Amino acid sequence: MADPTLIIRGGLVADGTGTPPREADIALSGDRIAAVERHIAAPRGTPEIDARGKLVTPGFVDIHTHYDAQATWTSEILSSSLHGVTTALLGNCGVGFAPCRPEARDMLVKLMEGVEDLPEVVLTEGLPWNWESFPEYLNALDSRPYDMDIATQVPHAALRVHVMGRRGFEREPATEADRAEMARLAREGIAAGALGFSTSRAIAHKTLAGEPTPTLGAAEIELAEIARGLGGGWMQLISDFDEPAEEEWERLLRIMRLSGRPMTFSLLQRESKPDFWRWILAQVDRANAEGLKVSGQVMGRPVGLMFGWELSQHPFLTRAAYQEVAHLPIDARAAALRDPERRARILAEPTDPALKARLNNYARIYKLTMDYEPPPDSSVLEQARAMGRDPEDLCYDWMLEEGGRAILNRPLLNYADGNLDAIREMVTHPHTLMGLGDGGAHVGYICDASAPTHMLTHWARDRARGAKLPVEFVVKRLSADNAAALGLNDRGRLAPGLKADLNVIDFDELSIERPNMRYDLPAGGKRLVQGARGYVATLVSGQVVHQNGEATGALPGRLIRGAKP
């Protein structure tokens, strides 16, 4: 072994293979791991990180993010890079910004604004639009350094709008020529370095004006011809499986059989169908037994909303008396909301009936805590009953705490049982992957980019309302399993020759910080950012990018082009 450039000394190494942590040194040589063994000798003066008593893991691989816009204007991939993530996959759910003709930019901006809660003014001011084709978009990303590696997928909605213009946006059927051109462009994107193709079949994905995503209900022949022509990568999708589920599932399987591509999709427990996810997993088992490679993407905590007077969602959002002050800065807004007359007017108004289940289910609204598994008796409804108060009245007051910046938690998916037992079954299933953090999206009311840290703290250490998971299992799920699924076989494990992406973690002190609102997006747009304590060091390509929660200024991350041996 050549002289190492850095030694990580004496840590408990969870190497990503699922074997229990063992004490070892790790020698790095440039951007690669040179050795993982006990008592590595090094020349005097070789830099070292003291990892004694600390957990050392591979860098985490986040397969479901929406940093497609953010990565064009900043090198810091927050919040993901604060949580041990060293590789992130963009372009999920069929939405993105390439390929895109200049005359179609407004359509893609409006779609991303509605589907992923990125304000139009932020995107209009922030996106440089120094591309038109998908390869040109990759070149734009490739020109910027990052605090982690990023990879991309070809988004179906952008393809449709690029090829079909307004016809594609309005979901008209694609002609034979349209389909052939979409297939050609998708193949071009894969050849340029994208790791997959993504689409959405979810009714909830709409513009703010209520227009469905262009890919909703796309014909089987359209998806089949695109998938058949990919030549590499996977297909990522989100579907409601509603029309009916059996037909949708068989449609997707036919596309897989024709294309030979693996498929991954969002697996969620819905309040309206609390056991439906079991049916889907049974279909996944049968498909894999047939030889098809299908995986459900899951997250280790509820997929939900955060409510607050400073946030973009809360129970009183649609009420006219609130909207009169919604434009005020938060301090002035909180003062106005404390006015007894305004309070009475807000509480007297009804919520839009279409949003009532989402915004006003007080049995499912809690104060935000960092374990994300609140007991039922801590809900707004149960606490109001115990106090003899109206739940809306109590909810109003809870959000006024902390100077009007208090945050409440509304688990929307994966919490129908009032606990995380269903998630544990999903996470431990052999045909699931860890994802769905949605980093870079829903920035005004969701901040699930911290999900990797929560997996470690909650499932491997703190869970009190059910069985835990071994730390080595959690690490493997966050790193090696996701890397292998993407074909990134140069990372995700700590072994000689692999990429030097890793975390040194004070596991006993590891914790998630409270989300905070920043107004640092283009045009002064707001976003929630959530940090963590306990990451002693996060390294990308052998360089420390974060140390004790602070950025070092090192930006060794780059765009990944294609699978890696």
Side-chain angles (χ1 to χ4, degrees):
M1 180 180 71
D3 289 346
T5 54
L6 178 68
I7 300 287
I8 298 171
R9 185 72 72 186
L12 291 170
V13 176
D15 62 10
T17 65
T19 57
R22 67 189 190 281
E23 187 175 318
D25 300 336
I26 300 177
L28 308 185
S29 180
D31 65 353
R32 296 285 152 173
I33 297 171
V36 182
E37 56 192 59
R38 296 288 298 271
H39 308 307
I40 294 176
R44 184 185 299 275
T46 301
E48 294 193 359
I49 294 175
D50 184 0
R52 290 172 294 182
K54 307 297 189 293
L55 181 69
V56 184
T57 76
F60 304 141
V61 179
D62 190 337
I63 61 175
H64 196 112
T65 78
H66 292 279
Y67 293 114
D68 308 69
Q70 184 174 324
T72 69
W73 67 61
T74 181
S75 295
E76 292 184 311
I77 308 301
L78 302 179
S79 296
S80 292
S81 60
L82 302 175
H83 295 276
V85 175
T86 55
T87 302
L89 181 66
L90 287 55
N92 286 280
C93 300
V95 290
F97 301 102
C100 183
R101 304 182 197 279
E103 63 269 22
R105 291 171 182 171
D106 183 61
M107 285 184 275
L108 294 190
V109 165
K110 288 185 182 303
L111 182 63
M112 187 67 84
E113 179 186 38
V115 173
E116 303 298 346
D117 184 42
L118 288 166
E120 179 181 6
V121 64
V122 169
L123 298 175
T124 299
E125 181 165 314
L127 287 166
W129 291 116
N130 53 345
W131 67 84
E132 184 171 320
S133 70
F134 193 85
E136 287 170 344
Y137 173 68
L138 294 191
N139 290 341
L141 296 178
D142 213 359
S143 68
R144 179 182 289 277
Y146 300 100
D147 58 4
M148 66 168 67
D149 287 347
I150 60 171
T152 61
Q153 298 167 98
V154 181
H156 190 188
L159 280 183
R160 258 195 148 245
V161 172
H162 185 76
V163 172
M164 299 172 64
R166 177 61 61 178
R167 291 187 301 117
F169 190 78
E170 294 178 351
R171 302 190 298 127
E172 291 186 19
T175 66
E176 182 178 355
D178 293 333
R179 298 193 302 268
E181 181 64 359
M182 281 190 274
R184 184 189 73 80
L185 291 173
R187 182 168 58 252
E188 178 182 74
I190 296 291
L195 298 186
F197 162 80
S198 71
T199 191
S200 170
R201 302 173 68 77
I203 192 67
H205 284 176
K206 300 177 181 179
T207 67
L208 290 187
E211 302 157 308
T213 183
T215 61
L216 179 69
E220 179 177 340
I221 189 172
E222 178 179 331
L223 287 168
E225 291 187 11
I226 294 172
R228 184 172 58 186
L230 289 176
W234 70 5
M235 297 180 291
Q236 181 274 329
L237 66 96
I238 179 169
S239 174
D240 297 319
F241 294 106
D242 272 346
E243 306 244 349
E246 293 83 357
E247 290 183 15
E248 173 75 340
W249 188 258
E250 286 304 317
R251 180 182 301 114
L252 296 174
L253 292 187
R254 287 193 295 270
I255 292 168
M256 287 190 66
R257 294 183 187 112
L258 181 67
S259 69
R261 305 318 312 156
M263 182 182 79
T264 183
F265 67 96
S266 302
L267 178 64
L268 301 158
Q269 182 194 40
R270 293 155 62 179
E271 289 182 345
S272 60
K273 296 182 177 180
D275 293 315
F276 183 57
W277 64 274
R278 297 183 189 278
W279 179 87
I280 295 179
L281 271 185
Q283 311 315 306
V284 170
D285 284 337
R286 282 193 276 273
N288 278 277
E290 179 188 329
L292 302 174
K293 193 172 182 181
V294 188
S295 59
Q297 288 190 26
V298 302
M299 189 165 69
R301 69 193 198 201
V303 176
L305 314 174
M306 288 188 285
F307 290 163
W309 294 122
E310 192 179 18
L311 278 61
S312 300
Q313 297 274 307
H314 57 75
F316 313 102
L317 181 68
T318 64
R319 303 184 186 189
Y322 169 73
Q323 285 298 319
E324 292 170 1
V325 298
H327 65 285
L328 296 175
I330 184 57
D331 290 336
R333 193 184 319 167
L337 292 166
R338 291 189 186 95
D339 176 67
E341 186 272 335
R342 181 170 301 282
R343 176 195 179 101
R345 284 203 292 133
I346 291 174
L347 291 174
E349 288 185 53
T351 292
D352 180 344
L355 297 174
K356 192 172 181 63
R358 177 187 180 98
L359 299 181
N360 300 103
N361 184 351
Y362 294 105
R364 290 280 191 233
I365 301 175
Y366 312 84
K367 285 190 172 182
L368 180 66
T369 63
M370 297 303 105
D371 73 355
Y372 293 87
E373 193 173 12
D377 63 5
S378 67
S379 71
V380 172
L381 179 65
E382 294 303 321
Q383 289 296 299
R385 282 176 176 168
M387 299 175 191
R389 294 182 63 179
D390 179 89
E392 289 214 331
D393 183 63
L394 180 62
C395 187
Y396 192 105
D397 280 349
W398 275 4
M399 292 197 302
L400 278 175
E401 294 176 0
E402 302 176 41
R405 292 176 172 83
I407 298 176
L408 307 186
N409 179 25
R410 166 63 168 109
L412 202 60
L413 300 159
N414 296 348
Y415 212 62
D417 305 318
N419 60 54
L420 297 184
D421 290 346
I423 286 182
R424 191 179 191 280
E425 288 188 48
M426 295 181 197
V427 168
T428 56
H429 191 276
H431 300 307
T432 62
L433 297 168
M434 301 304 304
L436 307 186
D438 267 358
H442 311 295
V443 294
Y445 57 87
I446 289 176
C447 198
D448 285 337
S450 61
T453 303
H454 176 264
M455 275 298 298
L456 283 168
T457 57
H458 189 78
W459 287 104
R461 192 189 66 195
D462 296 339
R463 192 179 187 218
R465 299 184 60 208
K468 300 177 186 178
L469 295 168
V471 66
E472 60 269 21
F473 174 84
V474 171
V475 169
K476 178 175 182 288
R477 296 299 262 157
L478 294 173
S479 55
D481 289 352
N482 283 352
L486 289 176
L488 298 180
N489 298 302
D490 63 340
R491 68 197 67 202
R493 292 173 291 119
L494 300 179
L498 298 189
K499 198 164 177 289
D501 295 349
L502 46 85
N503 292 303
V504 179
I505 302 170
D506 187 337
F507 188 51
D508 292 336
E509 297 299 321
L510 186 65
S511 62
I512 304 173
E513 296 178 340
R514 179 191 182 280
N516 67 88
M517 190 67 78
R518 297 185 185 180
Y519 295 83
D520 61 354
L521 291 179
K526 68 181 182 181
R527 62 168 172 163
L528 285 164
V529 174
Q530 189 170 26
R533 291 185 295 274
Y535 286 97
V536 176
T538 296
L539 288 81
V540 174
S541 297
Q543 297 185 45
V544 178
V545 294
H546 279 92
Q547 193 163 29
N548 296 317
E550 299 293 331
T552 65
L555 298 170
R558 294 295 184 272
L559 172 72
I560 300 166
R561 291 184 185 262
K564 301 299 178 186

